[in-house]
Amino acid sequence: MTSLASFQQSALDLLERQHKSPHFKKALSKYPVTGEGLPHVDYTARKNELLFVDGHFAPHLSCEIAAKEEELLVFPLEEAYPLYTPLIDLHMQVALQQTSPFALFAVGAAKTPLLLHIEEGENVEIDLVYLQTRSHLFSPICLQVYLEKEARCSVTTRIVSKEKNLEGCLSQHISVSLEKQSTLSWCDQMTYNGVGGTIASAFYGSLQGGAQLRKTSIHAQAERSEEHVHLTLFGKEAHAAVSSLLLPQGAMRAHLAVTAEHAHPEARSSQQIKTLGADASKTHFSGKIYVHAEAQKTEAYQQHQSLLLSEEASVCSEPNLEIFADDVKASHGATIASFEEEALFYLQSRGMSLGQAKSLLAKAFCREVLDAFPKRLQTPWQGFVEKFVGSHAHSND
């Protein structure tokens, strides 16, 4: 048994010993993991797409970016292990320290874990497409991403299905390492084509001096959505920014936990989270800024704002600062509110109906986070948000 296989087995053993999450146990019993190979799929990859089918990487269906060795190296993790042993061992050791059962399962049970390596000075755009061919499957996905010095990379993830109302579970575990002066933009579109199923994501990142990471995500159209983000800043002038928009509706449960850990002086981080809660949905946000004693001249900010579209929707916000340095600029804030009566009255006095006024205010509320998304995704998601707030903002007129 290789050391990599030992790490994977350790993840499953740890899961068995320590985690009794009813949500995970329900998902695992309801959506079994298929051990079968790749099913026959009629799919033509678009530019920059790497395709996963029911959790299995499909190189023959992915675009040819995977073969351009001068820009991007794509290895099965088992094949990469002899060449990248220290890096993979470090990522796996971090993975075994996490608390999310979904993430541990993704590490231990992923059928085709991959390493993506972007070489020095290259600029690569990647679309990770998770294609689900049938309902009631649990798809664990594990990826490690390594950016050399001054490399640039933009990654988006999205779930595609043949069925209109897909029901299943997709869990991804992502570990990224950014060398000096490298830049990574990562956008997770955590939404099914319907309102069923569970989507879980764990994202762990390490940033060296001058590295920049922008992590964005949107949560919508699922029974349950769970995301854990932990970013560690190890170098001077490293900058990490997290922006998330949560759009729970119906009986959806959304959970987001974000930690920015400052381990070196003169680094910056920001967390900007917005929740637009509708119907009887429930949202929980846990945010932390952790500053080590040696991380002087840190700048770290956290903001969670929630707007409730119904009296039944609920939001729990838990901001947390742990600061052991004395020369630090740090702040956090959380607001949970419904529509301001004065703003509604002002817009109605200008000729808008109550529903139109609510819709306008809700779209303006979301716009700040959407502006942080990759430009090519902003217009379609703005359209989605407009339909979302329109359908709920008018419901109480």
Side-chain angles (χ1 to χ4, degrees), residues 11-12 15 24 28 33 100-110 138-140 171:
L12 296 177
L15 181 66
F24 173 74
L28 191 59
V33 179
S100 167
F102 289 96
L104 277 174
F105 189 72
V107 171
F138 197 130
S139 299
S171 178

Side-chain angles (χ1 to χ4, degrees), residues 237-299:
E237 297 183 355
H239 182 205
V242 178
S243 300
S244 292
L245 178 60
L246 293 86
L247 301 172
Q249 61 181 322
M252 179 178 173
R253 302 293 182 262
H255 174 71
L256 173 63
V258 180
T259 298
E261 181 178 358
H262 288 259
H264 194 281
E266 299 184 51
R268 296 179 294 138
S269 70
S270 63
Q271 302 173 33
Q272 184 185 45
I273 316 299
K274 294 204 175 186
T275 299
L276 196 63
D279 303 323
S281 64
K282 295 184 182 298
T283 302
H284 179 254
F285 169 70
S286 175
K288 178 184 285 188
I289 297 171
Y290 189 99
V291 182
H292 291 258
E294 61 271 24
Q296 302 292 343
K297 298 188 182 300
T298 286
E299 293 186 24

Side-chain angles (χ1 to χ4, degrees), residues 155 178 183-187 203 207 212-216 231 239-243 270 272 369 371-374:
V155 180
L178 278 67
T183 302
L184 175 64
S185 171
W186 190 289
C187 179
F203 187 96
L207 289 74
Q212 298 187 47
L213 171 61
R214 175 169 290 281
K215 170 69 173 70
T216 56
L231 305 178
H239 182 205
V242 178
S243 300
S270 63
Q272 184 185 45
V369 172
D371 284 346
F373 279 51

Side-chain angles (χ1 to χ4, degrees), residues 320-345:
N320 187 6
L321 300 181
E322 293 188 39
I323 300 175
F324 299 96
D326 51 20
D327 186 4
V328 170
K329 294 180 180 179
S331 66
H332 67 77
T335 60
I336 302 174
S338 55
F339 292 103
E340 293 184 5
E341 294 297 331
E342 290 185 5
L344 291 175
F345 176 79

Side-chain angles (χ1 to χ4, degrees), residues 138-381:
F138 197 130
S139 299
I141 295 170
C142 181
L143 299 173
Q144 296 190 9
V145 184
Y146 174 52
L147 274 71
E148 289 189 19
K149 183 176 64 175
E150 298 180 352
R152 300 176 63 86
C153 183
S154 174
V155 180
T156 62
T157 68
R158 62 189 177 98
I159 302 171
V160 178
S161 67
K162 302 292 185 180
E163 301 182 24
K164 184 177 181 179
N165 292 303
L166 179 70
E167 190 172 342
C169 180
L170 187 142
S171 178
Q172 68 171 7
H173 182 277
I174 310 296
S175 298
V176 303
S177 293
L178 278 67
E179 294 295 335
K180 292 182 178 180
Q181 306 300 325
S182 60
T183 302
L184 175 64
S185 171
W186 190 289
C187 179
D188 280 318
Q189 300 173 81
M190 300 182 65
T191 173
Y192 273 134
N193 185 19
V195 294
T198 296
I199 305 174
S201 175
F203 187 96
Y204 291 80
S206 63
L207 289 74
Q208 299 299 326
Q212 298 187 47
L213 171 61
R214 175 169 290 281
K215 170 69 173 70
T216 56
S217 63
I218 190 160
H219 300 243
Q221 290 186 313
E223 179 182 358
R224 183 174 180 85
S225 179
E226 179 177 311
E227 181 178 16
H228 295 257
V229 179
H230 190 125
L231 305 178
T232 306
L233 293 84
F234 287 110
K236 180 180 179 181
E237 297 183 355
H239 182 205
V242 178
S243 300
S244 292
L245 178 60
L246 293 86
L247 301 172
Q249 61 181 322
M252 179 178 173
R253 302 293 182 262
H255 174 71
L256 173 63
V258 180
T259 298
E261 181 178 358
H262 288 259
H264 194 281
E266 299 184 51
R268 296 179 294 138
S269 70
S270 63
Q271 302 173 33
Q272 184 185 45
I273 316 299
K274 294 204 175 186
T275 299
L276 196 63
D279 303 323
S281 64
K282 295 184 182 298
T283 302
H284 179 254
F285 169 70
S286 175
K288 178 184 285 188
I289 297 171
Y290 189 99
V291 182
H292 291 258
E294 61 271 24
Q296 302 292 343
K297 298 188 182 300
T298 286
E299 293 186 24
Y301 306 98
Q302 179 192 109
Q303 183 72 36
H304 179 212
Q305 297 173 298
S306 301
L307 181 63
L308 302 184
L309 301 181
S310 78
E311 295 180 356
E312 292 77 24
S314 66
V315 173
C316 176
S317 186
E318 297 180 357
N320 187 6
L321 300 181
E322 293 188 39
I323 300 175
F324 299 96
D326 51 20
D327 186 4
V328 170
K329 294 180 180 179
S331 66
H332 67 77
T335 60
I336 302 174
S338 55
F339 292 103
E340 293 184 5
E341 294 297 331
E342 290 185 5
L344 291 175
F345 176 79
Y346 174 82
L347 293 174
Q348 287 180 279
S349 70
R350 295 300 185 269
M352 289 188 181
S353 68
L354 179 58
Q356 290 172 327
K358 288 182 176 180
S359 182
L360 182 63
L361 291 174
K363 286 186 288 185
F365 174 82
C366 297
R367 183 63 182 268
E368 189 176 7
V369 172
L370 287 176
D371 284 346
F373 279 51
K375 289 185 177 180
R376 62 191 175 89
L377 298 179
Q378 290 179 12
T379 298
W381 277 114

Side-chain angles (χ1 to χ4, degrees), residues 39-67:
H40 174 74
V41 176
D42 183 15
Y43 185 88
T44 302
R46 293 182 291 184
K47 183 180 179 181
N48 303 325
E49 288 187 347
L50 300 182
L51 184 69
F52 288 75
V53 181
D54 296 338
H56 298 256
F57 179 53
H60 62 291
L61 296 175
S62 300
C63 68
E64 60 182 20
I65 185 175

